[in-house]
Amino acid sequence: MLNALKPQAEDKIVRMMAMFRDDPRRDKIDLGVGVYKDASGLTPIMRAVKTAEQQLWMAETTKTYTALAGDPGFHAVMTDLILGDAVPRDRVAAAATTGGTGAVHHALELIRMASPLARVWVSNPTWPNHLSIIDHIGVAQSNYRYFDSDSCAVDFAAMMADLEQVRGGDVVLLHGCCHNPTGANLTLPEWQAVADLLQRKGAVPLIDLAYQGFGDGLAEDSAATQLLAAQLPELMIAASCSKNFGIYRERTGILITISPDTATSRLAQGALAHLNRQNFSFPPDHGARLVTMVLSDPALRTDWQAELEAVRLSMIKLRMALADALRAETGSDRFGFIAQHRGMFSRLGLDEAAVETLRQDHAIYMIGDSRMNIAGLNAATVPVVAAAVARVLGR
Ligand code: LMR
């Protein structure tokens, strides 16, 4: 039976992780997968998370199951963190999922269950796994233009022109902040225009919020989500705690739905629990419990927010340093956008051959579309990367 399986296309981010791991060069630089690294190249456990973990180890008396949709305390703190007071809670349903990816997967299954003919619109480009999960679940998909490769900025006019094709009941997948892979983001007035368009079309936003706190700030990064949630009758949010709590391997995420009324919200809550049961039964709890503890304890929360803010500011500093170094190396402002972009990534606008040369000749790893993980840099590697990019470009 198993020999009938077809070889699977490799995920390019996962492939890059393996190539980096297997590269014996000691001076190799990893700007591939979206994992935060501090100045010494480590992905630390955040202080508040470690403290919560110690407290949990002492206090936890059982490992029996939580609720099928996960701990309601986790739903409550995450809903507060993401939505503030934008929506009454009787319109909100939620389920803990296996990471933000699990939430995206569930959202697409929910779409297929509720509206099998719905079309999902994704930005071009988007996180590659969005495309493969959509394909795997078997939902129809269309692209909307998003990024202008010449200016390395959002092409908002093209995006809006494409979204004019959206039909009532279609779903539009949006990156709530810190667009992956480009790092180019909408302004709040642009988000307002998107909200108005979706409302006029009767379309449903699915917001992927994987980097809250990594862009303009914890509250600022949920502003677009809150704007859409306050205005539209229906919305889905797939949120991840991997990055902003640094708990990647704990696989902690949540799918939140907002329904037009309480009765629909109850249906959504039932469907979310059902999806958990069908896919993996009860969700993992350890990471979700740590997040709940950190967000519910004022001292832990303050410390977490301070550390997250330091992480965010360190990435902005690296952005500015790299933009400056590239300006000096190339004698042009071509890479000035890096300082304007926000989040973990920027797409440099290099072709695949240049990315490959960076890897082969300079042991610098980024994704083939020239997406760079800014957090993979440090003060010592910024000049190395800038010089290598200039060299590859023949400057
Ligand atoms: C990324 O885009 O690098 C992250 O979201 C990690 C992943 O799983 O791809």
Side-chain angles (χ1 to χ4, degrees), residues 11 13-14 17 32-35 101 127-129 180-181 210-211 243 248 251 344-345 367 371 373:
D11 180 283
I13 298 173
V14 177
M17 288 170 84
V33 66
V35 170
T101 307
W127 184 47
N129 211 19
N180 179 7
Y211 297 91
K243 314 313 197 277
Y248 304 85
R251 308 314 298 135
M344 219 170 201
F345 309 112
I367 309 301
R371 186 195 83 168
N373 172 14

Side-chain angles (χ1 to χ4, degrees), residues 176-193:
C177 65
C178 307
H179 186 267
N180 179 7
T182 67
N185 299 294
L186 302 187
T187 62
L188 268 186
E190 288 171 338
W191 278 111
Q192 182 60 61

Side-chain angles (χ1 to χ4, degrees), residues 301-312:
R301 188 181 178 121
T302 303
D303 190 41
W304 167 70
Q305 252 176 257
E307 192 170 359
L308 178 60
E309 184 63 1
V311 163
R312 185 180 81 81

Side-chain angles (χ1 to χ4, degrees), residues 76-309:
V77 291
M78 287 300 290
T79 304
D80 288 348
L81 182 72
I82 294 166
L83 287 171
D85 53 14
V87 204
R89 294 303 184 258
D90 63 347
R91 290 178 49 210
V92 175
T97 55
T98 48
T101 307
V104 170
H105 178 274
H106 270 22
L108 288 158
E109 278 206 89
L110 197 67
I111 292 162
R112 197 186 51 189
M113 280 166 75
S115 177
L117 298 179
R119 179 166 288 276
V120 177
W121 292 76
V122 295
S123 64
N124 181 16
T126 192
W127 184 47
N129 211 19
H130 282 154
L131 301 174
S132 51
I133 299 173
I134 289 169
D135 186 49
H136 177 70
I137 305 255
V139 176
Q141 180 238 308
S142 289
N143 295 331
Y144 58 89
R145 283 170 291 167
Y146 183 81
F147 189 61
D148 175 13
S149 310
D150 293 333
S151 62
C152 289
V154 174
D155 187 347
F156 189 63
M159 173 179 176
M160 292 300 274
D162 288 352
L163 290 181
E164 276 299 332
Q165 315 304 315
V166 167
R167 302 219 186 113
D170 280 355
V171 174
V172 178
L173 177 50
L174 298 156
H175 300 225
C177 65
C178 307
H179 186 267
N180 179 7
T182 67
N185 299 294
L186 302 187
T187 62
L188 268 186
E190 288 171 338
W191 278 111
Q192 182 60 61
V194 170
D196 293 343
L197 183 147
L198 297 182
Q199 187 169 36
R200 178 161 53 81
K201 295 282 176 188
V204 181
L206 164 56
I207 301 178
D208 188 336
L209 194 62
Y211 297 91
Q212 187 182 356
F214 272 38
D216 291 315
L218 196 58
E220 290 81 351
D221 290 351
S222 62
T225 302
Q226 293 188 15
L227 184 156
L228 288 160
Q231 183 166 335
L232 294 163
E234 263 186 358
L235 188 97
M236 286 172 280
I237 305 160
S240 170
C241 301
S242 298
K243 314 313 197 277
N244 53 6
F245 287 86
I247 50 173
Y248 304 85
R249 65 173 64 168
E250 301 296 353
R251 308 314 298 135
T252 306
I254 189 164
L255 177 59
I256 296 174
T257 60
I258 297 169
S259 300
D261 51 61
T262 317
T264 312
S265 197
R266 274 200 212 103
L267 279 177
Q269 187 61 62
L272 291 177
H274 173 79
L275 283 175
N276 272 7
R277 185 67 170 161
Q278 303 320 305
N279 279 292
F280 45 72
S281 201
F282 294 82
D285 181 65
H286 186 73
R289 198 152 296 272
L290 298 176
V291 167
T292 309
M293 291 171 74
V294 169
L295 292 178
S296 322
D297 178 307
L300 290 182
R301 188 181 178 121
T302 303
D303 190 41
W304 167 70
Q305 252 176 257
E307 192 170 359
L308 178 60
E309 184 63 1

